[in-house]
Amino acid sequence: MQLPAAYPEPPDTGHTGERMKIVDLIYFNAGGGHRATAVALGAVLRQRKPEWQVRLVNLFEVLDPQNRYRSITGSAPEDWYNKRLARGWTIGMAPELKLLQTVIRLAHRPLVKQFQQHWAQTEPDLVVSLVPNFNRALFESLASALPGVPHVTMLTDLADVPPNFWIEPDQDQHFICGTPKAVEQARALGHAEERIHATSGMIIRPDFYDVIRLDRARERHRYGLDPLRPTGVVLFGGHGSKAMLGIAKKLAESTQLILFCGHNKALARQLRALPQRAPRLVIEFSLDIPCYMRLADFFIGKPGPGSISEAVQQGLPVIVVENAWTMPQERYNAAWVRDNHLGIVHGSFRTIDRAVAQLLSQFEKFRVSVRSIDNRALFEVPEILDDILDEATRIHSDEAQAACHPPRFLRTSSSAAAAASTSASLSD
């Protein structure tokens, strides 16, 4: 069977003729953090595991390969969600999450069938899911289409939002958890210790680990900032947020700010037009976020797992809010900030001026706590995946020898036939 253009035939590793191991990282673009994690992990895997073929797989492209949804509606499935984030329309997302999960449960059989066909065509050796809500269908389709191929769910949130968000019960799969809270949640659902893998934090981009000697005073001056003023960096993901306007207005007299607007050019124009006494630097989409963060002293933003992890990695205490507008999957993050003394949690950005004053009055205490966090997840996960893949290969090699025939896992039998057979049984 000829593979789709996005999945070229896997090359051999050399004169031995041994097939490269294929590792698929499943992501989608809702919110940006899932794709960012996939890109960061893919980069480090290609560097540290050159013997693997690492593929980034967009979940919605698998479910809608002909792009029918976009042709009918004029937008991608995740666009509405991203626009809501940019406008701050996040209240009420808890009941919407339950509705989404109900729809996914009702569509379970068609989803499994679609995924089965995908696995049969593309034949990965290891599947790493970086998305919530779809892991039951992903796991069941993989187990039936390619028995023995490990399924790993790597949480890109600091904790699960049970039930049926990240961690599904009764699935013989692996979980990678970035906090003790997430580990406890996996245990509580009955998963075996050997299938729960703890890391020291969230995956963040490799350049956040770069050690760069920087003359902050000179660099601040170059960007029109006061070298001596405490400086906050304001970040609300890749699409910004209207909340940034309120923050900039509240702090216009007192606090020097670097504000990231991402792809939101209209927001950038509005921020630049606001009156100000304290210097302000407005940045549109940029890949140099770590460099700008190094010019700041503290972070202001929503409690997203990626953004607060990046800030902490750069040594910045954080100011976040927790209220009715906080998305369900981000509510634990505020508790994580409080429990680890990493900054200030307020109920609203309307009190951002008081939050900044409170943070600066205890700045050294918070900075010590921030510096105690040693997040090495980006470098821990490749070794975890290597162990999982080695174990699966060993188990199925042993089974093949015992049965005197090679297993499907080693690709000497037809995965497509197995998937077709299982699909037919589901249709009966």
Side-chain angles (χ1 to χ4, degrees):
M1 179 179 293
Q2 186 174 2
L3 299 183
Y7 297 96
E9 289 287 350
D12 291 340
T13 58
H15 66 278
T16 63
E18 182 182 353
R19 178 182 171 281
M20 291 183 75
K21 296 298 184 184
I22 299 174
V23 177
D24 281 356
L25 308 181
I26 312 297
Y27 74 96
F28 52 36
N29 287 317
H34 308 280
R35 184 180 186 278
T37 301
V39 170
L41 180 57
V44 77
L45 286 176
R46 292 185 184 101
Q47 180 185 56
R48 296 197 164 206
K49 305 293 177 184
E51 70 276 17
W52 293 358
Q53 183 183 4
V54 180
R55 305 185 301 200
L56 273 60
V57 181
N58 187 325
L59 179 85
F60 291 127
E61 290 179 1
V62 174
L63 295 178
D64 185 16
Q66 303 302 320
N67 219 4
R68 292 191 180 95
Y69 185 92
R70 183 184 288 274
S71 65
I72 294 171
T73 66
S75 61
E78 58 268 46
D79 285 351
W80 173 240
Y81 176 84
N82 290 331
K83 287 176 182 176
R84 288 186 64 179
L85 294 185
R87 293 170 182 170
W89 298 348
T90 53
I91 196 168
M93 279 196 166
E96 290 181 23
L97 173 61
K98 295 301 180 187
L99 178 61
L100 171 65
Q101 291 175 331
T102 299
V103 171
I104 291 172
R105 283 197 297 273
L106 292 173
H108 179 70
R109 291 167 73 88
L111 286 173
V112 169
K113 184 175 181 180
Q114 185 81 2
F115 288 138
Q116 283 175 329
Q117 294 170 351
H118 173 77
W119 305 134
Q121 289 180 327
T122 59
E123 295 191 322
D125 297 284
L126 175 67
V127 173
V128 183
S129 168
L130 306 173
V131 301
N133 295 312
F134 290 89
N135 285 296
R136 181 179 167 221
L138 287 169
F139 170 80
E140 290 185 8
S141 62
L142 184 65
S144 56
L146 301 176
V149 172
H151 179 266
V152 181
T153 297
M154 190 173 81
L155 282 68
T156 64
D157 288 307
L158 295 173
D160 191 19
V161 186
N164 310 117
F165 190 68
W166 281 108
I167 305 173
E168 295 279 358
D170 305 318
Q171 292 189 174
D172 190 16
Q173 64 156 101
H174 294 265
F175 297 92
I176 298 178
C177 304
T179 63
K181 172 71 172 180
V183 170
E184 291 172 8
Q185 290 174 311
R187 285 177 184 152
L189 287 174
H191 292 287
E193 288 290 333
E194 62 270 19
R195 293 185 176 271
I196 304 172
H197 309 274
T199 64
S200 54
M202 298 285 100
I203 293 279
I204 56 177
R205 282 168 29 191
D207 49 351
F208 280 95
Y209 292 91
D210 291 345
V211 178
I212 298 176
R213 297 192 180 279
L214 185 71
D215 186 336
R216 292 212 311 165
R218 185 174 67 182
E219 290 299 305
R220 284 186 181 182
H221 181 74
R222 185 163 73 94
Y223 288 108
L225 301 174
D226 185 340
L228 301 179
R229 278 182 182 256
T231 304
V233 60
V234 184
L235 177 62
F236 282 76
H239 300 273
S241 170
K242 282 192 172 181
M244 296 169 67
L245 291 169
I247 292 169
K249 290 175 183 176
K250 274 280 188 181
L251 301 177
E253 298 291 320
S254 62
T255 308
Q256 181 165 268
L257 296 176
I258 302 171
L259 301 109
F260 290 102
C261 300
H263 300 281
N264 198 333
K265 294 181 180 293
L267 176 62
R269 288 194 298 269
Q270 289 176 289
L271 286 168
R272 291 188 181 112
L274 288 178
Q276 65 186 72
R277 290 283 297 276
R280 180 189 301 148
L281 175 63
V282 178
I283 305 295
E284 295 182 26
F285 178 77
S286 173
L287 295 176
D288 294 328
I289 291 177
C291 295
Y292 289 109
M293 277 192 171
R294 292 183 183 106
L295 302 182
D297 299 294
F298 58 92
F299 168 92
I300 302 171
K302 75 183 186 74
S307 55
I308 60 176
S309 295
E310 291 166 356
V312 168
Q313 182 64 30
Q314 294 302 306
L316 306 182
V318 305
I319 298 174
V320 297
V321 299
E322 180 187 20
N323 53 36
W325 282 266
T326 304
M327 293 187 294
Q329 64 269 33
E330 295 183 350
R331 288 177 183 162
Y332 171 75
N333 303 356
W336 183 76
V337 168
R338 280 192 298 259
D339 293 345
N340 290 281
H341 310 290
L342 303 177
I344 302 294
V345 180
H346 270 214
S348 169
F349 284 119
R350 287 193 294 270
T351 58
I352 186 62
D353 49 347
R354 296 204 299 271
V356 170
Q358 184 181 355
L359 181 82
L360 294 178
S361 70
Q362 307 172 67
F363 185 71
E364 286 305 319
K365 181 188 77 172
F366 288 124
R367 192 159 64 168
V368 168
S369 297
V370 165
R371 288 176 174 173
S372 71
I373 301 293
D374 185 19
N375 175 12
R376 307 292 297 174
L378 182 65
F379 312 108
E380 295 163 348
V381 170
E383 301 311 313
I384 292 171
L385 297 180
D386 192 28
D387 290 343
I388 291 170
L389 191 51
D390 282 350
E391 179 192 21
T393 303
R394 177 184 56 78
I395 289 172
H396 290 279
S397 295
D398 292 346
E399 289 176 353
Q401 291 178 4
C404 297
H405 65 80
R408 185 182 296 111
F409 178 75
L410 296 181
R411 300 297 180 273
T412 55
S413 65
S414 173
S415 302
S421 173
T422 309
S423 297
S425 66
L426 282 171
S427 302
D428 292 342

